[in-house]
Amino acid sequence: MSKAKLPLDQETARNLILIDLYAQKARDNLASTIPTRSDQSHFLLMLIEGKDRAEEIRGRVIAGEEFASIAKQFSLDFASKDKGGDLGWLPRELMDKNIADVVFTIEPGSISAPVSQEGTPNFYLLKVIERKNDMEISADTRDRMISQAFSNWVSGLKKEANIEIYLKEKDKVRALELASKK
């Protein structure tokens, strides 16, 4: 707390520490529900705008062009584009349901038909490299799953909550000053 940029009174510091402790306890409780083993798939992904364009690019891959080089060139998925669309091994629990349904259905080595990205005009093309059942989940991947579970839990709480913010008079004045400068 001594490194905080703003001076904190004892009550505020205590409340921040309590919030952090409660959050860590909640995270630990959620972590106990996350599996250590899961069905997983190693696949490549390409995100393309428009179904016709996705079909065209799929045809090029089927005709023999390398999926990874096309993904580097055309994919809109910045998380995997530079790696040729390679997402490595992912458990079903970390995948969008539409993607999981495809990568756990198509044969390894084959290219999926375009899979819509919900709420956008974009489509995924997927190439399954390999699948394994009941595979150990890596520590990094499990940490991502825990973070996602925690984030989903907090989002759910926010949706259910009736949040009201009460400011001390001096804080209201400061907030109004800051708001008027923008």
Side-chain angles (χ1 to χ4, degrees):
M1 290 296 169
S2 64
K3 294 181 181 180
K5 299 200 187 299
L6 299 173
L8 299 175
D9 60 54
Q10 190 173 11
E11 181 185 357
T12 302
R14 179 181 172 280
N15 287 340
L16 288 174
I17 291 169
L18 281 174
I19 289 168
D20 189 52
L21 289 172
Y22 284 132
Q24 187 57 51
K25 183 67 175 167
R27 187 178 164 83
D28 291 346
N29 286 339
L30 285 170
S32 70
T33 68
I34 304 298
T36 58
R37 302 185 70 79
S38 178
D39 296 347
Q40 296 186 54
S41 182
H42 177 198
F43 63 99
L44 307 179
L45 171 144
M46 199 182 320
L47 182 62
I48 305 297
E49 185 174 5
K51 188 171 185 176
D52 290 342
R53 181 75 169 141
E55 288 284 4
E56 173 194 329
I57 289 173
R58 180 177 187 263
R60 289 174 58 178
V61 173
I62 290 171
E65 289 189 55
E66 187 181 335
F67 189 103
S69 62
I70 291 179
K72 285 179 182 179
Q73 189 175 4
F74 295 109
S75 183
L76 301 174
D77 185 68
F78 294 108
S80 67
K81 178 179 182 158
D82 292 339
K83 297 179 274 186
D86 194 343
L87 294 172
W89 286 96
L90 283 178
R92 180 187 293 269
E93 294 86 352
L94 269 184
M95 295 179 204
D96 175 85
K97 183 187 177 330
N98 291 343
I99 291 174
D101 288 347
V102 172
V103 299
F104 285 98
T105 304
I106 66 173
E107 289 299 315
S110 61
I111 309 302
S112 73
V115 178
S116 68
Q117 182 188 41
E118 203 169 303
T120 75
N122 301 330
F123 288 81
Y124 293 107
L125 293 176
L126 308 161
K127 179 179 181 180
V128 175
I129 306 299
E130 189 177 2
R131 273 192 308 264
K132 290 187 180 176
N133 295 327
D134 196 37
M135 181 178 167
E136 177 107 19
I137 298 172
S138 73
D140 288 344
T141 300
R142 194 160 184 279
D143 284 344
R144 283 180 44 208
M145 292 170 74
I146 293 167
S147 292
Q148 181 179 3
F150 183 76
S151 179
N152 292 344
W153 178 72
V154 169
S155 293
L157 289 176
K158 285 180 180 178
K159 286 179 185 173
E160 294 174 9
N162 179 21
I163 300 173
E164 294 181 34
I165 300 172
Y166 298 96
L167 296 175
K168 295 176 185 173
E169 195 58 43
K170 67 177 184 166
D171 295 331
K172 286 181 188 176
V173 171
R174 180 73 179 131
L176 289 170
E177 287 173 359
L178 289 173
S180 68
K181 290 181 180 180
K182 291 184 178 187

